[in-house]
Amino acid sequence: MATNPGIHANVRLDVFTHAERNIVSALAGYFYVTTGSEEFVGGSRYTYVTVRPSHKIEHALPNAREFVVLFADYENFEARTLTAYGKISDFFTDSLRVNRHFRILISKDKKITDKLRKICIDEPDIPVTLPFTYDNICDGDICKNIIEATRENYYFRDLFSQRDPLRESTFFFGRSELLAAMRDRMSGGENSGIFGLRKSGKTSILLACERLAKTDGHRFVHIDCQSASTTSARWNELLRAVAIEVRKAAGLAITPVQLGDFSPVEAARSFEKALADSYSQGKRKTILAFDEVEHISPQTGIGHWRDGQDTLLFWQTMRSIHQRMANRMCFIVAGTNPVITECREIAGSDNPLLAYISVDYLPGFTDHELRQMCESLGDLMGMNFSLEAIAALYGALGGHAFLSRQVASHIHKQLPFEGRPVRVEVEHVQQAVSSFDFKPLFDDVLSSLKSRFPDEYQLLEWCALGDEDKVEEFLNLDPKFAAHLTGYGLVRQSGTALTPRMKLVSDYLRMSARVSGVVKRDEDRWALIAKKRGVLERDLRAIVRGRMIDKYGRAGAADGLRGLLNRNRADALVDCSFEEIFSQTDCRLYFSDIISVTGHEPDYWSERLGFEFSELKPMMIAINDLRADAHAKSIADGDFERLVSYIDSVQAAI
């Protein structure tokens, strides 16, 4: 049902100044004003209305939900004004009623636009806020002014390009089930582990946990394990540093006398006292979050943490105290790989974290979560994603949140700003994916895996190259490799077979494998080429067989095939039946014969494989000619990369 403009009878107009009432009246010409009141932040008073776009203007705004219009009757704008929006939105019990992503600010500060723009640059995850002054919002047609400001926002705010962890909930999407489980564990005094690749959103998850913990009345202390102050500390010194942050969070003194003795002998007792003192301040639980935990883990840690002795003593202390104080503290560990929770021993002793933490991985968005993000942020940027476009984005990137945002940002930059909102279709996604330079992002996303967990990275390379024997060899070495890579959302597992989930990542890994040393030896190259071409040849023969039957009928298929070959090859097959030619155990059809067959029907094969024949034929000839494996000779790097690329391209087309 269309919304008509106007003002609800219960709106408190008495709280507004004369100038504000005039603006509310002008808004009521294009919006339905649903509520109106005042709000106080510190010693400052603000007035506001909530409005729902009417049929006269809703076409040009992000959506038809209500949003807040805030009046700041002060000559100098201060950033704390923005906190009033949150307090106002919290009045509404229906969380979906008021749009928290979009709002209007009307200020008496003549420089409000420049000041608000600076805040948006410094804090890119704050909601879209359209700034006006008391004078200019009604300067002419208020409807036109709001529409123009909205369209300017389409250009100014690239909400998809966010690269830093999300410190506010405004543009945080998905992960609801994971967060609910972690919230329950925090409240119940249980420990959690969250693991994923770089840029998968681990720090954003920890920040979301912090918001939830504070909502539930807990204290939250974030420890950055990759900072120099953390990695350079010995185990007892790190306990002291964490104790200082725990006491600070509780408002307690951090003098040496209050902190106590953190020598190796006394560190555990002093740390436990810090937690007990903190709890006594309001009976509030302390949540400790260790981010990038691999930096203080055995094998992957920095300096003295690598041999594991400090890791053992630190986590022995943490576990021992948690067992006595689960109602007062718990902890979260976050990193790339859960090896710290899986290894049986550390420095020759039992691992204190083994089976002591509930571990979750952070894979990509589900298709529903990706849709929610695209629709919510796209609406604010004048980009209406079709369901087919979202499906194409999901198919290309497997739901990886960071990569999907960057491609959506690329689409935003490619689309014209005039005439927005515009519809984003499949071809926009395909064009963005094909023109986007993914290599720097893949380098970044996979860097930690490559540098700290090289065996798993090499397994990924063999997986991308399609070498099932090598994959099985790695999985026999450590079956947990498959669980890790599956948890990251990089591969799918079926029995002992692993297949990449994203073609783009697979292409990147194949290239990485060719230059990283994985397939540098001639014997490795011969084996890989033979295996790949054997599969391709088998699949191409199956297509040829079906085509001959379709074209000539089963009775005439053998003669029809011989008629497409050169004389020598036709004579060699003259006494063979059709089934003998395509025998599974002793096939008589060569790869060169397949090339001859394709040359007689270029249009059919171009359509069947999706290549122009002028492109397909040279690829097929190169695949047949570059047979280093058959002749036991070396093959140049460039030829090897070109050959594997050709085989992969034709195989993918099949």
Side-chain angles (χ1 to χ4, degrees):
M1 181 181 295
T3 298
N4 293 316
I7 302 178
H8 192 278
N10 293 334
V11 172
R12 290 183 54 197
L13 293 175
D14 60 297
V15 301
F16 299 103
T17 65
H18 176 72
E20 290 167 353
R21 282 198 294 272
N22 287 339
I23 295 172
V24 172
S25 177
L27 287 169
Y30 299 94
F31 297 86
Y32 183 56
V33 183
T34 56
T35 63
S37 190
E38 59 187 350
E39 179 57 55
F40 294 87
V41 176
S44 301
R45 173 183 177 273
Y46 302 97
T47 54
Y48 70 90
V49 291
T50 56
V51 300
R52 184 184 307 129
S54 75
H55 61 277
K56 295 183 178 181
I57 196 174
E58 64 181 3
H59 66 281
L61 297 183
N63 59 53
R65 285 165 56 197
E66 294 178 46
F67 61 87
V68 177
V69 179
L70 184 70
F71 294 92
D73 190 13
Y74 298 97
E75 299 292 338
N76 187 38
F77 167 77
E78 295 182 358
R80 66 178 183 179
T81 298
L82 301 179
T83 63
Y85 285 106
K87 298 183 68 174
I88 294 166
S89 297
D90 289 341
F91 290 150
F92 298 91
T93 56
D94 181 359
S95 61
L96 297 179
R97 175 178 169 181
V98 174
N99 186 351
R100 294 173 180 259
H101 299 146
F102 183 85
R103 60 213 190 174
I104 287 178
L105 174 63
I106 304 173
S107 171
K108 281 193 173 179
D109 191 330
K110 304 298 184 184
K111 298 180 179 179
I112 182 61
T113 299
D114 293 337
K115 290 182 178 180
L116 191 60
R117 183 162 294 191
K118 184 179 186 304
I119 290 175
C120 291
I121 293 172
D122 295 339
E123 302 177 39
D125 55 343
I126 71 167
V128 169
T129 308
L130 304 184
F132 295 94
T133 66
Y134 277 63
D135 296 330
N136 68 15
I137 190 168
C138 290
D139 185 10
D141 186 343
I142 192 171
C143 176
K144 180 180 178 182
N145 292 339
I146 291 175
I147 291 175
E148 287 182 353
T150 302
R151 288 177 175 165
E152 182 180 353
N153 170 74
Y154 294 157
Y155 171 78
F156 170 63
R157 295 290 301 275
D158 184 353
L159 303 175
F160 285 116
S161 65
Q162 176 77 12
R163 289 175 177 256
D164 296 326
L166 298 169
R167 299 190 174 277
E168 304 294 336
S169 61
T170 309
F171 300 130
F172 185 91
F173 298 96
R175 326 294 197 191
S176 56
E177 292 184 7
L178 173 60
L179 282 174
M182 296 184 72
R183 186 178 196 175
D184 288 343
R185 288 197 286 268
M186 287 190 293
S187 295
E190 300 177 49
N191 307 311
S192 298
I194 182 71
F195 297 94
L197 299 174
R198 278 181 53 79
K199 300 296 185 181
S200 61
K202 297 186 299 294
T203 303
S204 294
I205 285 287
L206 292 183
L207 292 170
C209 285
E210 181 175 4
R211 293 191 293 271
L212 293 173
K214 291 180 177 178
T215 299
D216 294 340
H218 311 313
R219 295 190 179 96
F220 196 94
V221 176
H222 192 121
I223 301 98
D224 182 3
C225 297
Q226 66 179 336
S227 71
S229 60
T230 300
T231 57
S232 62
R234 302 307 299 245
W235 70 273
N236 55 309
E237 295 169 341
L238 180 55
L239 284 176
R240 183 179 187 275
V242 176
I244 289 174
E245 297 305 315
V246 168
R247 294 184 67 87
K248 281 182 180 179
L252 296 170
I254 55 172
T255 63
V257 172
Q258 295 292 334
L259 273 173
D261 182 4
F262 275 86
S263 65
V265 174
E266 296 296 328
R269 277 190 286 271
S270 296
F271 185 72
E272 186 169 352
K273 180 179 181 298
L275 290 167
D277 290 348
S278 174
Y279 183 75
S280 68
Q281 300 297 109
K283 309 298 182 185
R284 297 172 63 187
K285 183 180 300 179
T286 298
I287 316 295
L288 303 176
F290 296 89
D291 197 5
E292 306 289 351
V293 71
E294 58 264 25
H295 289 82
I296 59 168
S297 297
Q299 304 173 40
T300 61
I302 294 176
H304 55 272
W305 293 96
R306 181 177 291 272
D307 64 16
Q309 190 63 40
D310 279 74
T311 304
L312 177 67
L313 294 171
F314 182 83
W315 290 112
Q316 279 180 337
T317 303
M318 199 66 63
R319 172 171 174 156
S320 175
I321 293 174
H322 175 261
Q323 287 176 325
R324 294 191 298 275
M325 302 179 66
N327 64 327
R328 301 184 182 188
M329 67 85 72
C330 63
F331 55 85
I332 303 170
V333 294
T336 299
N337 191 294
V339 64
I340 185 65
T341 72
E342 294 176 343
C343 58
R344 301 203 64 83
E345 292 185 352
I346 296 178
S349 297
D350 291 341
N351 177 8
L353 295 187
L354 181 65
Y356 199 67
I357 292 177
S358 297
V359 171
D360 290 295
Y361 290 91
L362 200 60
F365 281 158
T366 65
D367 52 356
H368 174 74
E369 290 168 339
L370 182 64
R371 176 181 174 183
Q372 182 187 29
M373 182 188 76
C374 288
E375 290 181 346
S376 297
L377 299 187
D379 281 350
L380 297 168
M381 297 167 62
M383 300 165 63
N384 298 329
F385 283 80
S386 69
L387 294 179
E388 294 78 11
I390 296 172
L393 186 61
Y394 183 80
L397 297 168
H400 192 286
F402 176 73
L403 297 176
S404 297
R405 289 178 78 119
Q406 301 315 306
V407 171
S409 170
H410 193 52
I411 296 172
H412 161 68
K413 293 169 183 173
Q414 290 181 326
L415 291 172
F417 297 109
E418 297 77 13
R420 293 204 183 187
V422 297
R423 188 165 177 82
V424 178
E425 301 290 1
V426 172
E427 52 266 28
H428 294 120
V429 174
Q430 293 172 338
Q431 182 180 2
V433 168
S434 63
S435 62
F436 192 84
D437 182 9
F438 284 98
K439 186 179 183 303
L441 295 185
F442 289 155
D443 287 344
D444 190 15
V445 167
L446 296 172
S447 60
S448 180
L449 193 67
K450 187 174 184 178
S451 61
R452 297 185 180 277
F453 307 97
D455 287 342
E456 292 185 18
Y457 186 83
Q458 195 170 103
L459 171 57
L460 264 182
E461 290 181 325
W462 285 117
C463 180
L465 289 167
D467 193 315
E468 297 176 1
D469 293 338
K470 285 288 187 181
V471 169
E472 186 173 358
E473 179 183 328
F474 270 81
L475 295 186
N476 288 336
L477 180 67
D478 191 341
K480 291 194 292 292
F481 288 167
H484 296 168
L485 299 180
T486 303
Y488 299 147
L490 290 173
V491 302
R492 297 184 181 90
Q493 183 175 14
S494 177
T496 59
L498 298 181
T499 55
R501 291 190 68 224
M502 292 180 273
K503 182 180 182 299
L504 291 169
V505 174
S506 183
D507 292 343
Y508 168 86
L509 288 166
R510 281 198 297 271
M511 181 59 68
S512 169
R514 293 168 205 159
V515 300
S516 67
V518 172
V519 284
K520 281 293 185 183
R521 297 187 309 162
D522 285 337
E523 52 265 41
D524 287 335
R525 292 185 172 188
W526 298 335
L528 182 65
I529 291 169
K531 184 176 296 184
K532 281 180 168 290
R533 194 180 55 239
V535 173
L536 177 64
E537 194 167 345
R538 178 200 65 197
D539 293 345
L540 285 171
R541 284 200 302 264
I543 299 176
V544 171
R545 184 178 187 279
R547 179 57 179 166
M548 294 301 99
I549 294 174
D550 290 343
K551 186 174 182 181
Y552 301 108
R554 185 172 293 275
D559 288 337
L561 173 64
R562 284 188 283 265
L564 302 178
L565 306 179
N566 63 48
R567 177 174 295 179
N568 289 338
R569 288 298 299 143
D571 290 344
L573 299 176
V574 69
D575 294 325
C576 297
S577 68
F578 188 70
E579 295 305 324
E580 288 174 332
I581 293 174
F582 289 94
S583 169
Q584 294 288 334
T585 58
D586 185 25
C587 183
R588 309 297 179 85
L589 198 69
Y590 298 162
F591 199 90
S592 57
D593 297 332
I594 298 174
I595 296 175
S596 296
V597 171
T598 61
H600 285 277
E601 287 190 294
D603 292 342
Y604 169 80
W605 287 92
S606 294
E607 183 177 353
R608 176 62 178 80
L609 297 179
F611 290 104
E612 291 295 330
F613 194 73
S614 59
E615 181 183 4
L616 175 64
K617 184 176 180 180
M619 292 169 63
M620 298 278 282
I621 292 173
I623 292 170
N624 189 58
D625 289 347
L626 292 172
R627 301 187 63 197
D629 60 311
H631 306 294
K633 63 181 182 180
S634 295
I635 180 171
D637 289 349
D639 286 341
F640 174 72
E641 292 172 14
R642 183 160 56 96
L643 176 56
V644 174
S645 177
Y646 286 167
I647 295 174
D648 287 343
S649 296
V650 179
Q651 187 68 61
I654 294 176

